[in-house]
Amino acid sequence: GDTVWFEFVGGSTGWAAFSDYAPNSCSCYLSTALTSNSPSTWTPLNLDMAHFDIGGLHDTTNGRINIRRKGQYLVEVSVRPHNGVPVGEVFYGRALADGSVPFALDYQRNSHSFAHTIIMPKKTQKYVLSPGYLTLNFFAQSSVGVTGSSAETYLTITEIR
């Protein structure tokens, strides 16, 4: 049979059930707009709310997703600027493993017209992840901020079994 255990994960969730068999899956988002940022600096986003959290992965204290076991995961990223991106400037979205290791979900969008609001393409890729955590970060050449919305700025992972 499968091994099942409970762990205290804190926050409003409290205890979570875990199984050696059940796949982990979590989707977290930025609920309130970040209206400004330090230009030309990678800025972490506080993923303060969850669409769903199977396996107690959402770390509400640090605004990130914890990876509890090594495995293959589908990772999806979406980031939307809060204000327009000036002509010719870039806006990047990136997931980072353990706060510093970027992986290939990096994407870029150049603005072609002033004050153009860009909805970032959702990007999904498969990765082998080790225990640790994932953060969602963005980079903009000017202070454009990020839209807080469950449908526009989020990080989702699903373990593939």
Side-chain angles (χ1 to χ4, degrees):
D2 293 329
T3 302
V4 177
W5 69 95
F6 294 89
E7 288 183 23
F8 185 73
V9 295
S12 60
T13 306
W15 291 88
F18 296 89
S19 165
D20 289 333
Y21 178 75
N24 289 309
S25 186
C26 185
S27 181
C28 298
Y29 63 94
L30 177 72
S31 67
T32 305
L34 176 66
T35 57
S36 65
N37 57 282
S38 297
S40 298
T41 302
W42 282 101
T43 304
L45 296 169
N46 179 25
L47 302 174
D48 59 328
M49 299 295 290
H51 290 284
F52 55 86
D53 183 4
I54 300 168
L57 306 179
H58 184 208
D59 179 344
T60 56
T61 302
N62 297 299
R64 61 192 189 195
I65 296 177
N66 291 324
I67 306 300
R68 296 191 178 275
R69 62 182 168 215
K70 183 175 182 174
Q72 287 192 16
Y73 292 82
L74 287 177
V75 181
E76 182 174 342
V77 168
S78 179
V79 183
R80 181 175 185 219
H82 179 68
N83 299 312
V85 177
V87 173
E89 290 193 7
V90 293
F91 183 91
Y92 297 93
R94 172 184 282 180
L96 293 177
D98 298 325
S100 63
V101 181
F103 50 98
L105 281 175
D106 221 1
Y107 55 79
Q108 167 184 339
R109 173 65 189 223
N110 288 350
S111 178
H112 300 291
S113 63
F114 187 76
H116 181 66
T117 301
I118 303 164
I119 296 177
M120 297 303 296
K122 295 172 182 72
K123 189 161 185 181
T124 305
Q125 287 182 262
K126 182 170 72 173
Y127 295 96
V128 174
L129 299 175
S130 295
Y133 62 91
L134 297 181
T135 58
L136 182 59
N137 301 263
F138 80 100
F139 175 95
Q141 287 174 283
S142 57
S143 185
V144 298
V146 173
T147 295
S149 166
S150 63
E152 297 172 335
T153 301
Y154 63 85
L155 175 61
T156 300
I157 69 161
T158 302
E159 186 177 21
I160 303 168
R161 301 303 295 273

